[in-house]
Tab-separated table of all heavy atoms in Angstrom:
chain	number	residue	atom	x	y	z
B	473	LEU	N	10.325	20.110	20.028
B	473	LEU	CA	10.958	18.817	20.304
B	473	LEU	C	9.974	17.680	20.097
B	473	LEU	O	8.772	17.899	20.022
B	473	LEU	CB	11.469	18.801	21.746
B	473	LEU	CG	12.490	19.887	22.074
B	473	LEU	CD1	12.767	19.932	23.571
B	473	LEU	CD2	13.785	19.645	21.306
B	474	THR	N	10.512	16.462	20.065
B	474	THR	CA	9.623	15.308	19.943
B	474	THR	C	8.797	15.171	21.216
B	474	THR	O	9.185	15.641	22.284
B	474	THR	CB	10.421	14.017	19.698
B	474	THR	OG1	9.484	12.958	19.476
B	474	THR	CG2	11.261	13.622	20.901
B	475	GLN	N	7.645	14.559	21.080
B	475	GLN	CA	6.848	14.171	22.229
B	475	GLN	C	7.247	12.742	22.575
B	475	GLN	O	7.852	12.054	21.747
B	475	GLN	CB	5.363	14.227	21.879
B	475	GLN	CG	4.927	15.546	21.314
B	475	GLN	CD	4.452	16.516	22.371
B	475	GLN	OE1	4.167	16.143	23.499
B	475	GLN	NE2	4.374	17.775	22.009
B	476	SER	N	6.882	12.265	23.765
B	476	SER	CA	7.364	10.921	24.059
B	476	SER	C	6.489	10.140	25.018
B	476	SER	O	5.651	10.680	25.723
B	476	SER	CB	8.780	10.970	24.612
B	476	SER	OG	8.751	11.036	26.013
B	477	ALA	N	6.741	8.829	24.982
B	477	ALA	CA	6.125	7.903	25.918
B	477	ALA	C	7.242	7.138	26.608
B	477	ALA	O	8.367	7.075	26.092
B	477	ALA	CB	5.198	6.951	25.169
B	478	GLN	N	6.923	6.562	27.756
B	478	GLN	CA	7.896	5.729	28.466
B	478	GLN	C	7.213	4.450	28.928
B	478	GLN	O	6.082	4.481	29.416
B	478	GLN	CB	8.457	6.484	29.666
B	478	GLN	CG	9.300	7.672	29.244
B	478	GLN	CD	9.998	8.314	30.432
B	478	GLN	OE1	9.359	8.999	31.214
B	478	GLN	NE2	11.281	8.061	30.558
B	479	LEU	N	7.950	3.354	28.766
B	479	LEU	CA	7.395	2.042	29.095
B	479	LEU	C	8.018	1.547	30.398
B	479	LEU	O	9.239	1.535	30.540
B	479	LEU	CB	7.713	1.076	27.949
B	479	LEU	CG	7.212	-0.359	28.100
B	479	LEU	CD1	5.700	-0.424	27.899
B	479	LEU	CD2	7.918	-1.274	27.104
B	480	TYR	N	7.152	1.127	31.334
B	480	TYR	CA	7.615	0.576	32.611
B	480	TYR	C	7.092	-0.845	32.769
B	480	TYR	O	5.948	-1.128	32.427
B	480	TYR	CB	7.086	1.412	33.785
B	480	TYR	CG	7.586	2.843	33.802
B	480	TYR	CD1	6.984	3.811	32.996
B	480	TYR	CD2	8.638	3.222	34.620
B	480	TYR	CE1	7.426	5.119	33.008
B	480	TYR	CE2	9.088	4.535	34.636
B	480	TYR	CZ	8.483	5.477	33.820
B	480	TYR	OH	8.927	6.777	33.842
B	481	ASP	N	7.956	-1.707	33.321
B	481	ASP	CA	7.562	-3.069	33.652
B	481	ASP	C	6.857	-3.041	35.006
B	481	ASP	O	7.405	-2.516	35.979
B	481	ASP	CB	8.850	-3.918	33.718
B	481	ASP	CG	8.583	-5.353	34.088
B	481	ASP	OD1	7.426	-5.688	34.413
B	481	ASP	OD2	9.543	-6.152	34.073
B	482	ILE	N	5.640	-3.590	35.084
B	482	ILE	CA	4.949	-3.612	36.382
B	482	ILE	C	4.672	-5.050	36.818
B	482	ILE	O	3.826	-5.293	37.671
B	482	ILE	CB	3.621	-2.820	36.338
B	482	ILE	CG1	2.668	-3.369	35.259
B	482	ILE	CG2	3.874	-1.335	36.146
B	482	ILE	CD1	1.247	-2.835	35.371
B	483	SER	N	5.432	-6.002	36.241
B	483	SER	CA	5.145	-7.393	36.594
B	483	SER	C	5.617	-7.736	38.003
B	483	SER	O	5.080	-8.637	38.642
B	483	SER	CB	5.770	-8.336	35.560
B	483	SER	OG	7.151	-8.084	35.453
B	484	GLY	N	6.611	-7.006	38.510
B	484	GLY	CA	7.098	-7.280	39.871
B	484	GLY	C	6.525	-6.287	40.871
B	484	GLY	O	5.607	-5.527	40.566
B	485	ASP	N	7.068	-6.289	42.079
B	485	ASP	CA	6.578	-5.362	43.120
B	485	ASP	C	6.963	-3.931	42.789
B	485	ASP	O	6.241	-2.997	43.100
B	485	ASP	CB	7.183	-5.730	44.481
B	485	ASP	CG	6.565	-7.009	45.031
B	485	ASP	OD1	5.458	-7.357	44.556
B	485	ASP	OD2	7.188	-7.644	45.895
B	486	LYS	N	8.145	-3.771	42.179
B	486	LYS	CA	8.639	-2.436	41.866
B	486	LYS	C	8.464	-2.160	40.376
B	486	LYS	O	8.689	-3.042	39.545
B	486	LYS	CB	10.145	-2.342	42.211
B	486	LYS	CG	10.434	-2.466	43.697
B	486	LYS	CD	10.044	-1.205	44.405
B	486	LYS	CE	10.248	-1.308	45.918
B	486	LYS	NZ	9.676	-0.155	46.622
B	487	MET	N	8.093	-0.923	40.060
B	487	MET	CA	7.996	-0.544	38.646
B	487	MET	C	9.413	-0.285	38.122
B	487	MET	O	10.241	0.259	38.846
B	487	MET	CB	7.156	0.726	38.510
B	487	MET	CG	5.717	0.542	38.938
B	487	MET	SD	4.765	2.072	38.815
B	487	MET	CE	5.123	2.831	40.389
Side-chain angles (χ1 to χ4, degrees):
Chain B
L473 301 171
T474 185
Q475 307 269 344
S476 92
Q478 293 187 285
L479 180 73
Y480 297 81
D481 178 354
I482 58 167
S483 56
D485 287 340
K486 294 286 177 189
M487 296 178 274

